[in-house]
Amino acid sequence: MIEIIEAGFMISVPNVKAAPLNELQDEVVFMARSNVGKSSLLNTITKRKNLAKVSSTPGKTRLINYFDVTFLNRDNGERIKAKLVDLPGFGYAKVSKSIKSDWEKNLTQFISKRKQIKLFVHLIDARHPDLEIDRSVAEYLEQIADESQYILPVFTKIDKLNQKEIGALKKRFPDSLMISNLKKRGIDKLISVIYSILNGEV
Ligand SMILES: Nc1nc2c(ncn2[C@@H]2O[C@H](COP(=O)(O)OP(=O)(O)O)[C@@H](O)[C@H]2O)c(=O)[nH]1
Ligand SMILES: [Mg+2]
């Protein structure tokens, strides 16, 4: 059983130049369209109510937020420190076009240059698995990820799907994980997959 036993806010930065050095620590980046449940998931996995703000106004946050976390493997007492990185939601329609392109340029630049990133967690709303924006994000990640970087697609809000729909999604995307923040489903599994990747077990 793997748990995150410590979690704290580290820093918010506006761009890659301002990002902390973190030379020795792996980073786990969380990316999603606005409103998919990214902040909720960060709070769920860290068991903190308000670590990442759960906003009802999508697209408000444009900073890159870093959190320090410690994973504990309860089976053998092993600990791993890492950084969780909360990226601004992408593809939010109400942002003006010029802001949007600057913002996305900034983000793509950030992602492609950041060698500390060990894992990209791409959150996708389980009700909308085929959006163009998610497809282009997935393709982009495949392009830029090097051999030491992993990509993990995670479907969120599966409480909104019935068993049949969940089954169909699993069949189509056998390598993805499925979670619900609301019902706390799939959370332990997600944490243990992240841990295995950080620990070099995958
Ligand atoms: N039904 C359901 N709603 C969720 C879940 N996770 C988040 N939400 C809701 O979705 C909205 C957006 O969540 P938030 O975490 O702020 O998304 P973010 O914009 O991706 O950070 C909020 O109203 C959350 O309460 C989930 O697993 N199931
Ligand atoms: Mg958020």
Side-chain angles (χ1 to χ4, degrees):
M1 166 83 180
I2 316 290
E3 270 180 80
I4 291 178
I5 52 159
E6 291 167 346
F9 172 75
M10 183 203 179
I11 193 173
S12 287
V13 301
N15 57 46
V16 68
K17 284 197 204 96
L21 289 174
N22 295 351
E23 274 160 7
L24 298 171
Q25 252 174 35
D26 286 336
E27 297 175 353
V28 179
V29 166
F30 290 81
M31 43 202 308
R33 282 187 308 119
S34 297
N35 218 31
V36 164
K38 181 162 49 73
S39 299
S40 304
L41 180 62
L42 287 167
N43 291 336
T44 304
I45 63 175
T46 56
K47 290 182 240 126
R48 295 271 297 267
K49 282 215 164 68
N50 228 336
L51 189 71
K53 260 201 196 127
V54 177
S55 168
S56 52
T57 318
K60 239 168 57 179
T61 336
R62 278 176 219 167
L63 294 171
I64 299 158
N65 300 312
Y66 284 81
F67 303 95
D68 281 304
V69 294
T70 306
F71 291 81
L72 171 65
N73 183 341
R74 291 254 176 233
D75 300 328
N76 62 13
E78 219 164 51
R79 286 163 193 245
I80 295 181
K81 284 184 188 286
K83 301 261 191 285
L84 305 185
V85 185
D86 184 6
L87 288 189
F90 52 78
Y92 179 56
K94 281 186 188 159
V95 176
S96 86
K97 242 190 178 155
S98 67
I99 292 177
K100 198 169 154 182
S101 66
D102 276 1
W103 181 6
E104 281 171 7
K105 212 165 83 197
N106 185 3
L107 273 189
T108 48
Q109 190 205 29
F110 180 85
I111 293 163
S112 63
K113 290 202 172 152
R114 191 75 177 164
K115 292 300 166 202
Q116 290 90 333
I117 298 173
K118 183 77 182 174
L119 170 64
F120 295 98
V121 180
H122 177 194
L123 305 177
I124 303 155
D125 189 321
R127 296 168 297 178
H128 310 291
D130 294 306
L131 297 181
E132 187 55 40
I133 181 89
D134 281 315
R135 233 175 259 167
S136 63
V137 166
E139 268 169 34
Y140 180 72
L141 289 178
E142 294 290 350
Q143 260 177 47
I144 57 139
D146 65 32
E147 320 77 64
S148 66
Q149 294 177 314
Y150 292 81
I151 302 162
L152 183 63
V154 175
F155 289 100
T156 65
K157 305 195 184 184
I158 57 157
D159 53 278
K160 302 259 192 191
L161 264 50
N162 63 34
Q163 278 311 315
K164 200 176 154 200
E165 291 168 323
I166 291 174
L169 206 57
K170 277 191 180 142
K171 211 166 169 184
R172 277 188 65 199
F173 303 96
D175 295 330
S176 65
L177 296 180
M178 317 222 160
I179 64 112
S180 166
N181 291 300
L182 199 71
K183 306 272 185 199
K184 305 288 179 260
R185 284 167 62 186
I187 302 299
D188 291 347
K189 171 80 180 171
L190 172 62
I191 294 173
S192 79
V193 170
I194 295 173
Y195 182 89
S196 305
I197 289 169
L198 291 174
N199 206 20
E201 292 164 23
V202 180

